[in-house]
Structures are given as structure tokens and as C-alpha cells.
Amino acid sequence: MSTTSLPAPDHSPRLREALLAAAFTADGLLDLLGAPAYAALARSETVPALRATRGDSALETLVRLFLLQCPVPYERARAALPLQECLAGGWVVRDGDEIRATVDVRPYGGPESQDWFIVSDLGCAVGGAGGASGQGEGVVLGVGGASTTLAGITVRMPVTAALDLGTGSGVQALHATQHATRVTATDLNPRALDFTRLTLALSGAQEAELREGSLFEPVGDDTYDLIVSNPPFVISPGARLTYRDGGMGGDDLCRSLVQQAGARLNDGGYAQFLANWQHVEGEDWQERLRSWVPRGCDAWIVQREVQDVTQYAELWLRDSGDHRADPAQYAVRYDAWLDEFEARRTKAVGFGWITLRKSGAERPSIVTEEWPHPVEQPLGGSVRAHFDRQDYLRTHDDAALLAEHFTLAPEVVQEQVGLPGAEDPEHVVLRQNRGMRRATKVDTVGAGFAGVCDGTLSAGRILDAIAQLIDEDPVLLRDRTPQALRLLVEEGFLEPAAS
């Protein structure tokens, strides 16, 4: 862990002014670097960006200083920054005739085009594939794929109190300041709390209440309307790296986090996590995850990826840079990882999203599914709509569904699959072009039903008309259709017209 003292947030307003004046923003970077170099930077590849910043403009100076961690000449730094304030505040240091950055400062575009900045340890703006190689155990990473994924799936609505548990460099807390009256951020690593303070200050956001400690311990019995966490979920033999290794056996950290969240949620509140979970021999992973859900909560658990134990071990050995170490040491650590999995009868590791909603329902809705397909971010609105649909279906029996009026959800299209020239398709598919981008097969009745759902007629009246067209008993058709109708509503293909 670095022992370098971190900058003071006092001079953040002047620094922010200078960064914005030079167009050191997400849009400004894209314009300067071009799409290929910009994308390479997100992969921790700096050569294209170095080639694109060989000029002497203020923006090029700032990119080299804060993103590429290259020393810049004193005079160029003075032209781009309030240099004396940055030196006094500890944002940069002088080394002879050159200026060096003490932290990584990365432009980050907010959901409404806000110009934000994420502050993290040098060389740790993104994780994975060696993003934190060679860093100490207390390293604080910047924004990466996991951070943006969680930010994208989080339900955004005005709330009184929000909690970012395991805040790191403060990405989730920063988002929460836009719609929460009070934001609390916690972390086991006190250095992370200091970085969160810098991220919020440099982004011009409201301050958060910062508390040090593990899991829910720092917040006691406080309750929240929104809880988000990108925890140290990696399943590893030990807790060598604080930013990723939870220090509990197997997936116990993620299980504890989910199980304890229910008591910290206010009625109607959401808790949203990224997590890893074990696929254990002789166990169904879905049943394993269902057992984590606390009483009184609905849940939606989406498995996005599964890796066998060798792939998983290799991924995180690369993350920590062990693949560049002594081959014998690498083999020992790899072997220890496989020993851990063997002892726990773990054959694979799943990764995905877990969302809880405090409903207090007697019959909670717990949906677990595997969905490795592309989705459209941000998904927060789709997540909220999922739980709204569960509420609706819970209060509507088959008779109520048939009396309801429905409309086809926006951007749902119909595809017909079959041999060219065939009179009838082999099957019909309804496909969503937004959100989860689901697709579902429907029969002739289902396709005809969806095609005329414009809110004018009740579901029962539509089925009666279809029965007449296909010469089927309308009573029998009404009896066998509600299950399929319920599925189309649950997956978001049909919406109650009243909503």
C-alpha cells in the first residue's frame, strides 16, 4: 500500500476550473485522442494516447500528467494549472524542472452530461487484466467496467438516504448525490474514504458522510432507501488484496451482504450488488442464491457469466500481476487457488447482479435467471419496472388479467422464422430492442394477441375475437391463455394500459 499522503480537497474548486477550461472532460478526451486511442486507454493501453498528446496544449499536458502519469515540464504545467495551489494541496509534486501527478484524475461523464472526475491511485484507473499489477494491498482503483455496470443497473429515483457500501474511489456515491438527500459511503480501507472525498470535491458534488469499517458494521442500525455495493467479491484463498478479496471463505461475503441488507432497507427500498457465487457440486446455483434472500424482500438475480475454476484463478492471478512474477511462485499461488475450490467442492464461479426490493409481501417474488446476452445500459428503469410488474401480477389473478387492457411495450418487434417461400412460419418471435433485449417464442394466438394490443379492448375480448377467427371454443381459449399472458407481462412485452 502506498504511504504517500493524499491531496487535500481544499483546492479542488480551482483545479476543477482549470480542468474544465482546458476541456479535460470525457467529451474533450474523445475529441483529442480519437475513438481508437480513447478505447485503448480504457484497456490500460497508453501508447496510442501518448502518440496523440505530443503537442503543447493545456489539454495534452493534463492528459499526460493525470492520465498517463508522465512528468511534464514545469512551464507547461504552470500554463495548464493553478500550479502553486496544486503543489500546496499535494495534487502534484515538483521534481527538478518537471511536475509529476500524485494521483490519477480521470474525466467521467455523468448520466445528464455532468463533467465529473474520479480520483484514484496512480496507474489504477481501471481493474482487470493487470490494471492493478504491482500495487500494494490497500490500493484504491478508479472507474472500471464493474463500476459502470453497477451505476447503470441502479434504480434512480429521489430518496432520502443512500448507502454506498465499500465505496472505493466513490463512483457509486457520486451518482447517489444526484438523487439522494443524504449519502453515506463506507469502506474498510480508510484510504478509499479519502479518495471518495477527493472525487466528490473535484466533481463539484455534495459531500457524503464517510464511515470506516467492514460491511454494515459502520452504519449500525441505520436504514436506507437505496443500498449499492461493488464489494470485494473475488473468491480467493485468503485476503491478500483489500480492493478485491473479501477475506471470508468462498462466497460468504456476498451471502452475508445480501442477507444483512434486508434489515437495513426502508419499506420500498432497493439494495443492488455485484457478486460472485460458487457453483457447488450437487447444488443448484439458483436454489443457493434464493436461500440468500432475506425475509420481506423481493429479489431479481441475474447470472451474467460463468467461469470454470481454472479460468477464474487465471483471471485474478493476471489481475494481481502474478503471471509476471517468478514462475514457481505463480504455480504455488495457482495451486492454492485450486486447493481452495477443491476443498469447497466448487466446480465453477458465477458473476452477476443481485437486486433486492423491500416489499414486505407475504409471497415474495424471487426471480433467478441466466442472461449472458447483451443488454442496453442504463438499466435502472428496467429494474424498477421489473419489480412494478411483480407487484401487478401478485394482485391480479387470471380473471383480473382477462379483464385488463394491455398495450405492446415500446420497441417490441415480431420476427417470423421459417424456410424461404413457406406458407406459414415455423415459429414467431417477439423481440425487445431495449432494456434486457429479451426474445420469446409465441404461437399463433400469442402473436395475434400481441399484434392488436393497443389498450382498446380487454384481453378477454381479444381472445374471443381470435377464437372466432381460428374456429376454437372461446371458453377453452380463455382457460389456456392466462399463463402465457402472465409471462408476456412478467418479461415486459406487454404493459397494462392504465400504467
Side-chain angles (χ1 to χ4, degrees):
M1 173 176 168
S2 173
T3 57
T4 305
S5 60
L6 295 181
D10 305 5
H11 302 288
S12 299
R14 285 290 310 279
L15 175 56
R16 175 176 171 80
E17 290 174 7
L19 299 180
L20 295 178
F24 186 69
T25 63
D27 290 340
L29 280 185
L30 183 59
D31 290 341
L32 172 67
L33 302 179
Y38 187 82
L41 195 60
R43 301 191 300 269
S44 298
E45 295 291 348
T46 59
V47 172
L50 286 167
R51 292 174 60 86
T53 54
R54 290 178 289 194
D56 58 2
S57 69
L59 178 55
E60 288 165 297
T61 298
L62 294 173
V63 171
R64 283 185 165 256
L65 183 64
F66 287 118
L67 285 187
L68 305 180
Q69 281 92 58
C70 296
V72 300
Y74 179 90
E75 291 302 323
R76 283 185 57 182
R78 190 172 67 170
L81 291 167
L83 187 54
Q84 295 309 312
E85 286 194 38
C86 288
L87 285 167
W91 292 93
V92 298
V93 293
R94 184 169 185 174
D95 184 6
D97 292 330
E98 294 182 324
I99 297 295
R100 298 178 181 272
T102 61
V103 291
D104 185 295
V105 177
R106 182 162 299 254
Y108 179 64
E112 297 179 359
S113 301
Q114 300 99 325
D115 290 318
W116 289 341
F117 301 95
I118 309 301
V119 188
S120 63
D121 272 313
L122 292 173
C124 296
V126 292
S133 298
Q135 302 294 327
E137 64 172 11
V139 66
V140 177
L141 299 184
V143 63
S147 306
T148 55
T149 294
L150 180 58
I153 68 172
T154 298
V155 173
R156 302 293 175 193
M157 58 185 182
V159 297
T160 299
L163 170 64
D164 177 12
L165 193 152
T167 186
S169 54
V171 178
Q172 310 309 322
L174 178 57
H175 278 275
T177 62
Q178 302 303 292
H179 61 102
T181 303
R182 176 170 58 87
V183 177
T184 301
T186 71
D187 207 289
L188 181 63
N189 181 4
R191 186 177 175 83
L193 300 178
D194 291 336
F195 272 115
T196 294
R197 184 179 292 108
L198 294 174
T199 289
L200 296 177
L202 194 57
S203 297
Q206 71 179 59
E207 294 182 0
E209 181 181 13
L210 306 177
R211 300 188 187 182
E212 181 182 343
S214 177
L215 299 181
F216 288 103
E217 180 272 328
V219 300
D221 296 328
D222 291 353
T223 57
Y224 300 88
D225 307 300
L226 174 67
I227 299 171
V228 291
S229 183
N230 175 19
F233 54 67
V234 176
I235 300 172
S236 60
R240 189 160 60 102
L241 299 173
T242 304
Y243 74 89
R244 68 167 204 196
D245 301 326
M248 296 186 184
D251 52 20
D252 284 354
L253 183 138
C254 292
R255 176 183 55 78
S256 298
L257 193 59
V258 173
Q259 290 180 335
Q260 294 174 20
R264 270 77 177 189
L265 279 178
N266 294 325
D267 290 343
Y270 289 86
Q272 300 186 261
F273 315 102
L274 301 186
N276 273 168
W277 46 79
Q278 297 170 148
H279 283 232
V280 179
E281 292 180 12
E283 289 187 19
D284 181 283
W285 74 267
Q286 296 189 357
E287 288 302 314
R288 180 182 184 84
L289 271 291
R290 289 174 70 89
S291 73
W292 293 6
V293 178
R295 185 182 300 274
C297 288
D298 295 336
W300 186 19
I301 299 168
V302 182
Q303 181 167 270
R304 296 288 288 158
E305 183 180 4
V306 181
Q307 291 184 313
D308 68 47
V309 293
T310 58
Q311 292 174 314
Y312 188 81
E314 290 162 12
L315 169 67
W316 294 108
L317 286 167
R318 287 195 302 272
D319 171 81
S320 56
D322 288 308
H323 62 307
R324 299 194 185 102
D326 174 64
Q329 185 183 43
Y330 174 82
V332 168
R333 286 183 170 162
Y334 197 154
D335 205 39
W337 224 301
L338 297 185
D339 283 343
E340 175 80 4
F341 287 133
E342 184 177 347
R344 296 182 177 277
R345 299 185 297 113
T346 302
K347 58 184 180 179
V349 178
F351 166 79
W353 319 323
I354 299 176
T355 299
L356 306 176
R357 197 269 304 263
K358 187 74 168 286
S359 66
E362 293 184 11
R363 295 182 294 114
S365 164
I366 303 177
V367 176
T368 58
E369 62 176 319
E370 188 160 8
W371 193 255
H373 313 294
V375 299
E376 182 189 52
Q377 287 275 35
L379 269 174
S382 297
V383 173
R384 185 178 180 184
H386 166 89
F387 289 96
D388 288 344
R389 293 193 297 268
Q390 301 306 314
D391 284 342
Y392 173 86
L393 291 170
R394 200 158 29 209
T395 57
H396 285 69
D397 59 16
D398 289 353
L401 282 182
L402 293 176
E404 184 65 90
H405 295 236
F406 294 96
T407 58
L408 193 65
E411 297 198 38
V412 171
V413 298
Q414 176 180 302
E415 299 174 358
Q416 298 188 26
V417 180
L419 293 173
E423 184 175 347
D424 297 312
E426 293 179 12
H427 59 263
V428 176
V429 174
L430 298 181
R431 186 179 302 278
Q432 301 168 349
N433 285 325
R434 301 189 65 181
M436 293 292 286
R437 294 180 174 170
R438 297 187 187 278
T440 186
K441 287 184 183 180
V442 292
D443 59 14
T444 304
V445 173
F449 184 94
V452 297
C453 274
D454 62 1
T456 304
L457 298 175
S458 69
R461 291 284 301 278
I462 293 174
L463 290 176
D464 291 344
I466 292 174
Q468 187 174 4
L469 286 173
I470 64 176
D471 195 25
E472 184 169 337
D473 185 334
V475 175
L476 294 178
L477 188 59
R478 279 175 173 253
D479 284 345
R480 69 177 176 87
T481 302
Q483 183 177 355
L485 174 57
R486 191 172 291 275
L487 181 63
L488 290 176
V489 174
E490 180 177 355
E491 295 191 341
F493 290 95
L494 296 178
E495 299 176 346
S499 65

